[in-house]
């Protein structure tokens, strides 16, 4: 469905000469990606409202979104699968994993968080084989990734001092999932080439 809508929008842009015919595939990709983002934001908004955990949803998803745009990792091959898996993952973190870690020792939460942040700092980005970023783009992504991670750590520390522990917990899961998705993509490329 998203692909069909994106194709129509792209055809409209090409017909109006807003996009050159040679750039139509790139336009299609960008339009489809933006529509997917809009759908995902709407799903997050619904999850936020229905769960009553508006802050937790956004504390989890914002670092995840920012990190994934810089660090890469595995991506679902279909838009519907991406939306389904991300929604399921969000609900799992909101109702099971997050509450479990909130009830654990703060020392355990900080220990896990610092370990995962350290791994994320050291982890190079990995992208699907069809993307061919130049070295300077990869270096810029590494720099931005590390800035995001430092920002996450800073916000975690400040909010923890203020007694808002859920920021530590839910942002921990966003970094953890980003790392796991990079490892999955590394394994996939090692197994299938790329």
């Amino acid at each position: 469905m998203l692909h069909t809508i994106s194709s129509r929008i792209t055809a409209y842009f090409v017909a109006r000469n807003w996009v050159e015919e040679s750039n139509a595939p790139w336009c299609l990709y960008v339009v489809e990606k933006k529509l997917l983002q809009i759908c995902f934001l709407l799903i997050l908004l619904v999850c936020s409202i229905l769960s009553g955990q508006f802050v937790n949803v956004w504390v989890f998803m914002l670092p995840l979104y920012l990190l994934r745009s810089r660090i890469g990792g595995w991506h679902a091959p279909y838009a519907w699968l991406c939306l389904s898996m991300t929604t399921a993952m969000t609900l799992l973190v909101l109702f099971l994993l997050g509450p479990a870690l909130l009830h654990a020792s703060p020392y355990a939460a900080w220990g896990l968080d610092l370990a995962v942040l350290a791994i994320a700092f050291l982890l190079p980005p990995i992208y699907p084989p069809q993307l061919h970023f130049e070295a300077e783009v990869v270096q810029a992504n590494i720099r931005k990734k590390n800035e995001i991670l430092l920002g996450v750590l800073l916000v975690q520390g400040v909010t923890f001092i203020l007694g808002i522990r859920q920021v530590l917990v839910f942002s921990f899961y966003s970094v953890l999932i980003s790392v796991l998705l990079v490892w999955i993509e590394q394994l996939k490329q090692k197994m299938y080439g790329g």
Side-chain angles (χ1 to χ4, degrees), residues 106-175:
Y107 299 110
W110 272 110
L112 289 169
D113 184 64
L114 293 174
V116 169
L117 283 170
I119 291 167
F121 271 111
L122 298 173
L123 199 61
I126 188 166
Y127 309 105
Q130 61 269 29
L131 294 179
H132 303 287
F133 289 131
E134 295 180 12
E136 63 194 31
V137 173
V138 173
Q139 286 303 314
N141 278 341
I142 290 171
R143 195 170 40 257
K144 285 286 189 188
K145 170 200 65 143
N146 290 340
E147 290 170 1
I148 292 164
L149 291 168
L150 282 172
V152 166
L153 181 59
L154 179 66
V155 170
Q156 287 175 334
V158 169
T159 55
F160 190 83
I161 289 169
L162 295 173
I164 309 169
R165 191 164 164 211
Q166 72 257 33
V167 172
L168 169 68
V169 168
F170 289 96
S171 60
F172 157 75
Y173 282 113
S174 65
V175 177

Side-chain angles (χ1 to χ4, degrees), residues 10 14 18-30:
T10 299
V14 169
W18 295 344
V19 173
E20 294 177 20
E21 183 76 37
S22 61
N23 290 329
W26 183 248
C27 180
L28 176 65
Y29 167 76
V30 171

Side-chain angles (χ1 to χ4, degrees), residues 26-124:
W26 183 248
C27 180
L28 176 65
Y29 167 76
V30 171
V31 169
E32 193 167 323
K33 185 175 177 182
K34 294 302 174 191
L35 287 177
L36 182 63
Q37 288 172 342
I38 290 168
C39 289
F40 182 63
L41 286 173
L42 291 172
I43 289 170
L44 281 182
L45 185 60
V46 169
C47 283
S48 299
I49 292 168
L50 293 178
S51 70
Q53 298 188 52
F54 190 83
V55 172
N56 294 345
V57 169
W58 296 98
V59 166
F60 170 64
M61 285 312 303
L62 183 62
L64 181 68
Y65 177 78
L66 293 174
L67 281 173
R68 295 273 289 141
S69 67
R70 298 299 175 182
I71 202 169
W74 182 80
H75 288 276
Y78 307 105
W80 66 266
L81 184 59
C82 176
L83 288 172
S84 301
M85 290 178 71
T86 306
T87 302
M89 176 183 58
T90 302
L91 294 173
L92 179 68
V93 168
L94 278 180
F95 293 109
L96 186 64
L97 300 176
L101 192 54
L102 279 170
H103 290 17
S105 159
Y107 299 110
W110 272 110
L112 289 169
D113 184 64
L114 293 174
V116 169
L117 283 170
I119 291 167
F121 271 111
L122 298 173
L123 199 61

